[in-house]
Structure formats: C-alpha cells, structure tokens
Amino acid sequence: MERDQGWASKKTRKRKLPEEEDRGMLDLSFDELNQDLLEKVLAWLPTSSFCRLRSVCKRWSCVAESATFLLACSQIPSRDPWFFMVDPNLDQSIVFDTAEKNWKNLNHSLHLQQNPGHNSIPVAASGGLICFRTVSGEFVVCNPVTGAYRELPPVCTTNQSQTLDAIAMVSSANRSSYKLVLVCGDLPNLSAKVYDSGTNQWEEEITLIRNTNRNSLESESSGDETLYFLSKAGDVVATNMQRSPSKQYSSVITVKDGEEIIYFLSSTGTVVACNLAKKCFSEYPRLLPLYFEYSIDVIECRGEMLLVVLSELLESASLRVWRFSEENRLWHQIAVMPPAMSHEFYGGKADINCVGYGDQILICVNSTGTEFGSCFLCDLVTNGWIELPKCFVNGKPREFMSAFSFEPRIEACV
C-alpha cells in the first residue's frame, strides 16, 4: 500500500503535457518581457515592420529610438535584399522587397527628392546605403529606410576634366564604415580616388598602371578605340556603348585575398579590373566579337564578378549569365533565360540593366523599338526565372530602367 502511495506521489510531479505548456506560453504577454529581451525579439522583425513600431504603443515607440535596439538589429546576420528602383524620371521612392515579394513605396521623402534642383541619380550601393551623384558632381550617401544622409566632401583630382569611368561602394563587415571608389581617365591612363567614411575624407589619388605580367588578363584590343560596323538593319553602329544615366558608371567591387578589385565596362564593352592594392589594371578577354549586337552589364554575386548579356542570333534573342574562369581564362555560361521568355526581346533594340545580390539577379529590360519594359528575377542556384508583377502607382503601371540592391537596415550609419 505504501508502495502504491509513493508511485502516486511521483506521478503528480511529472512534466506538463506539450499542450499545457503551449497554453502557458500563449498567456505570456509582450508587456512581461524586460526591455533588453523585447528589443532582441523586435530586432528579428522584417525591416518593413520597423516603420510601424512607433504606432503600436508608447513602449514600442521608445524601442524604435533606442540605441540598444539598433545594436540588437546590427547583430542580425543578414536580411533579404531590397531593390531600389530607378524610373526614367529619376523619382527614387519605390523598392522591391524580395522577402515579401512585393513593391513598397518609401514612407519618407529622400533628402535629394526635396531638392529637385540637385537632379541627383543613384550611382552605387553597399550594405544598407545608397550613394547619389548630383548634377554638379557632388556625392551624397543615404540610408533609404531611415532617410538619414551625409554630403561627402568635394572631390579634388589632379585633372578635373578626366572622364569618370566607374563608381563603386564597399561596406565593412560590421557595416560601421564604408568606402566610395572612383575610377577616372581614358584607357590606358587610369587613376582611382577613394573616400573613407571613417576619416570623412578622400585619400591620395592612386595612379593605375597596366598589368604586363604574362599571367595577367589580356584583351583583344586596347579598348580606347571606336570601331564601326553595319547592323542587321543596315545602320552604321559604333562600338562605343551608350548607357542609361543611372548605369553610366556601372561597376562592382569585390575583395579577394584582402585586395579590393573594382570591375567596370569600358566604352567598347570589355571588362576592366582595377586592383587598388597593387595599383594596376587588366582587361578581360572579350566575350563577344566587336561587330556583334548586344547589351551587357557587370554585376556582383557572392563576392564574384559576373556578366549578363542579351544578344540576338538566328532570329531569336538570348539572355545569359557568364562567369570567368581564372584556370583556363575563358568565359563559362552559368545561367540562361528560357528561350520562350527571351524571344520576346528579339528585334526590340532592348537594353538590360542588372544588379546582383547573393544568388539573385534583378534584370530591367527596356526596349526603344517596341516600348517594352519589364523586370525579371533570376535565381542562380536553381536557374529559375520569374517576371516581376507590374508596379502600379495611381492606377498606372510604372516602368523602371535600372535598380540598385541594398540590405535594408535601420542601423546602417551614413
């Protein structure tokens, strides 16, 4: 009998059933969390939710303005990218959220939009920041999520009349600082200028020399000459590429073995790689012949430079992604848009403007011949291609000529 009573007493001390525990957790209110734990929980919310924190209650409004909350946000490893869209009128206010797969209108007006006389265009992005260039040549760095901005000191170069070839931006690993890199000159006379946000000043100008090492990349031409050929329609076409204003300085920057390398397209469509650490540059082998009609853009994905090319062949259009192999020094195709999708671009004089982030590429396709405009998202892992839904503003579809990718972070400092 005593044995039975002992067994019964042990039975009453057993753990609660999962259903009972769940009911207990449901009774837990956010009001019962201490400030530190509440901030860590809210830091995991999607970035689009941060704008609504202030309207929930007074306590959450205080959290949104807390320095420790920004610190908690900075400890989130990564966030799904937003693509900052650019339309022909340079009205920068719309982003595409890859996490929620929808369009968003920024709830605040960017500083440069409040000053139409600046006539600024986005030229580079990194981390959670976007860099704009004004018509007077000044640079402004902005956090599109918060609206915070910084006007950079004026650029002083040895030759103010030099051609500006590339503008690239790179952030530190903890996103506490960033660099803006400018490449100027005409091949083969190139120089670089670097702005460091940590010191808030431009560093000494770097003169870049051509890499003459036998193992370096070699180009089929010097890249500074203009050739002319007849198009399929019989028109005289120049090899010098005409780019849209927002992608005029299309370039990307990568860090390889601790060395920063900036890639950009020359006026004839060759890829130029500038190694800032070694103060030299090289030209990649041409992907397509000079006389071949195509549109091309350079992007960065997972720290690697890639090319996106739209070309026409055998009465059809093809859109492909290429990677350069250092081993055999050849371009290799890694992704291709389904022919049923790319054929729509044939004969439309289409131009592509692309941007990469992680394993995704956003491609804006615009055609002057058929007034065609659309955006596509490519997944390099699955080779999946989808056309993004149209963005409607006041009942009218909005068309975009390019985009810039950034990681939406409210803690990103300008």
Side-chain angles (χ1 to χ4, degrees):
M1 189 69 178
E2 294 178 357
R3 184 177 179 181
D4 292 338
Q5 289 177 348
W7 176 83
S9 62
K10 290 181 180 179
K11 185 176 180 181
T12 59
R13 293 195 297 269
K14 70 176 183 178
R15 291 187 58 188
K16 292 183 179 180
L17 294 174
E19 294 80 2
E20 295 174 344
E21 290 183 346
D22 291 342
R23 284 195 294 270
M25 290 298 294
L26 290 175
D27 293 335
L28 180 63
S29 170
F30 271 97
D31 294 335
E32 299 179 39
L33 299 178
N34 61 46
Q35 189 74 4
D36 181 62
L37 185 56
L38 177 63
E39 291 177 352
K40 290 183 178 180
V41 171
L42 295 181
W44 285 93
L45 287 174
T47 304
S48 57
S49 302
F50 293 148
C51 302
R52 300 190 291 269
L53 285 180
R54 291 181 175 87
S55 60
V56 175
C57 62
K58 289 184 179 180
R59 188 185 182 194
W60 285 30
S61 179
C62 293
V63 167
E65 301 173 357
S66 169
T68 52
F69 174 63
L70 296 180
L71 178 61
C73 290
S74 67
Q75 294 172 350
I76 305 301
S78 63
R79 297 192 185 277
D80 292 321
W82 284 7
F83 290 106
F84 186 81
M85 310 305 296
V86 183
D87 69 3
N89 298 321
L90 299 177
D91 180 14
Q92 304 95 15
S93 62
I94 297 176
V95 298
F96 182 78
D97 185 344
T98 60
E100 300 181 2
K101 298 292 188 295
N102 58 18
W103 301 98
K104 287 181 170 56
N105 198 351
L106 296 178
N107 294 328
H108 57 80
S109 296
L110 298 181
H111 165 69
L112 296 177
Q113 289 179 267
Q114 300 171 1
N115 298 273
H118 280 176
N119 193 26
S120 62
I121 59 173
V123 291
S126 180
L129 305 175
I130 295 180
C131 178
F132 294 83
R133 186 172 188 257
T134 67
V135 67
S136 60
E138 303 299 321
F139 293 96
V140 179
V141 174
C142 172
N143 183 329
V145 180
T146 64
Y149 67 92
R150 175 197 287 193
E151 297 181 4
L152 305 190
V155 186
C156 296
T157 60
T158 55
N159 186 358
Q160 296 291 342
S161 62
Q162 277 187 328
T163 303
L164 182 57
D165 298 300
I167 304 173
M169 194 173 177
V170 60
S171 300
S172 60
N174 59 1
R175 293 172 291 275
S176 61
S177 63
Y178 58 87
K179 290 182 179 180
L180 186 68
V181 184
L182 312 181
V183 177
C184 306
D186 296 306
L187 286 171
N189 302 311
L190 298 178
S191 62
K193 195 81 173 177
V194 180
Y195 167 82
D196 189 336
S197 68
T199 59
N200 191 31
Q201 62 183 6
W202 295 90
E203 299 175 356
E204 291 294 327
E205 189 169 325
I206 302 173
T207 300
L208 303 174
I209 61 174
R210 189 187 294 274
N211 192 343
T212 56
N213 190 319
R214 287 189 304 173
N215 296 324
S216 67
L217 304 171
E218 296 179 358
S219 176
E220 296 177 0
S221 65
S222 60
D224 56 357
E225 56 194 28
T226 303
L227 300 180
Y228 299 88
F229 61 94
L230 289 177
S231 68
K232 299 180 181 68
D235 301 322
V236 177
V237 180
T239 56
N240 280 340
M241 298 189 343
Q242 302 296 322
R243 305 188 63 80
S244 61
S246 66
K247 301 296 283 188
Q248 182 178 355
Y249 313 109
S250 179
S251 53
V252 296
I253 190 168
T254 65
V255 180
K256 184 177 182 181
D257 298 329
E259 299 176 349
E260 295 173 342
I261 304 175
I262 181 171
Y263 303 87
F264 69 94
L265 294 172
S266 70
S267 60
T268 58
T270 58
V271 178
V272 181
C274 302
N275 190 312
L276 301 182
K278 296 180 179 178
K279 300 181 180 181
C280 65
F281 73 90
S282 303
E283 292 179 78
Y284 278 68
R286 186 176 296 279
L287 183 60
L288 293 175
L290 277 171
Y291 54 82
F292 210 88
E293 292 182 75
Y294 61 94
S295 178
I296 185 172
D297 207 355
V298 59
I299 63 170
E300 178 268 333
C301 287
R302 299 292 184 193
E304 187 176 33
M305 183 274 295
L306 303 174
L307 279 186
V308 183
V309 180
L310 173 63
S311 60
E312 295 186 6
L313 181 65
L314 301 176
E315 299 186 354
S316 183
S318 171
L319 200 157
R320 303 168 186 265
V321 183
W322 300 80
R323 173 190 288 124
F324 187 78
S325 172
E326 299 288 349
E327 297 179 359
N328 54 25
R329 303 189 180 278
L330 294 174
W331 292 98
H332 294 274
Q333 175 185 301
I334 61 173
V336 56
M337 175 181 280
M341 297 177 68
S342 60
H343 180 70
E344 187 177 358
F345 313 142
Y346 179 73
K349 298 181 179 180
D351 177 52
I352 60 171
N353 290 293
C354 314
V355 60
Y357 192 98
D359 294 317
Q360 301 182 84
I361 305 174
L362 180 69
I363 303 167
C364 296
V365 184
N366 296 277
S367 174
T368 56
T370 60
E371 297 184 355
F372 171 88
S374 193
C375 298
F376 299 84
L377 200 60
C378 169
D379 188 317
L380 293 176
V381 177
T382 63
N383 192 32
W385 297 75
I386 59 172
E387 183 175 358
L388 301 188
K390 286 288 185 181
C391 176
F392 288 88
V393 178
N394 298 325
K396 297 181 179 179
R398 195 78 169 267
E399 291 189 0
F400 304 102
M401 60 183 181
S402 62
F404 289 83
S405 62
F406 69 100
E407 197 174 354
R409 288 186 171 271
I410 63 173
E411 77 277 9
C413 298
V414 297

